[in-house]
Amino acid sequence: MFHFGFSYVGLVFLCMLLIPNFIWTKKKPLGYEEASLKENKFLLALERIGEVLVSVLLLIFKDFNIDPNRLSALPLLVLAFVLMICYEFYWIRYFI
């Protein structure tokens, strides 16, 4: 099922996910600190736990890498990449 090993595809996705967030930390919107105090702490904790788990799982399972023996999974990987590109465009639009 899942095989331990380094996933270069996971690393690419993780970088695409984290780079806009790092930029956002430098350019937070005005008034964000006050608004963040009103966030639900339970949901915030679940979000952080999910971020850590996804980050770790993306990197430690080599099943996410492109495998010539499993080309049936390639369309799903392409779809995930297209959705990640859309995510990047929304961040660019947000920063502009």
Side-chain angles (χ1 to χ4, degrees):
M1 184 166 174
F2 287 108
H3 303 95
F4 285 106
F6 180 72
S7 173
Y8 58 86
V9 173
L11 179 64
V12 169
F13 272 76
L14 195 57
C15 288
M16 291 176 74
L17 185 68
L18 291 179
I19 289 172
N21 287 287
F22 288 139
I23 295 170
W24 180 83
T25 60
K26 301 293 183 195
K27 299 183 178 191
K28 287 183 185 176
L30 295 174
Y32 174 76
E33 297 300 327
E34 294 81 30
S36 68
L37 295 175
K38 298 175 187 173
E39 289 181 351
N40 184 323
K41 302 301 181 202
F42 177 72
L43 292 178
L44 185 63
L46 285 179
E47 179 184 14
R48 298 293 185 248
I49 291 168
E51 288 171 350
V52 170
L53 287 176
V54 167
S55 299
V56 170
L57 294 176
L58 275 175
L59 293 175
I60 66 169
F61 290 119
K62 65 181 178 180
D63 296 310
F64 299 114
N65 292 337
I66 298 171
D67 184 3
N69 298 325
R70 294 183 337 150
L71 291 179
S72 61
L74 192 59
L76 188 59
L77 182 60
V78 169
L79 176 64
F81 187 71
V82 168
L83 291 174
M84 185 60 80
I85 293 295
C86 291
Y87 174 78
E88 297 296 326
F89 280 124
Y90 280 113
W91 268 111
I92 290 169
R93 189 172 147 201
Y94 173 80
F95 286 129
I96 292 174

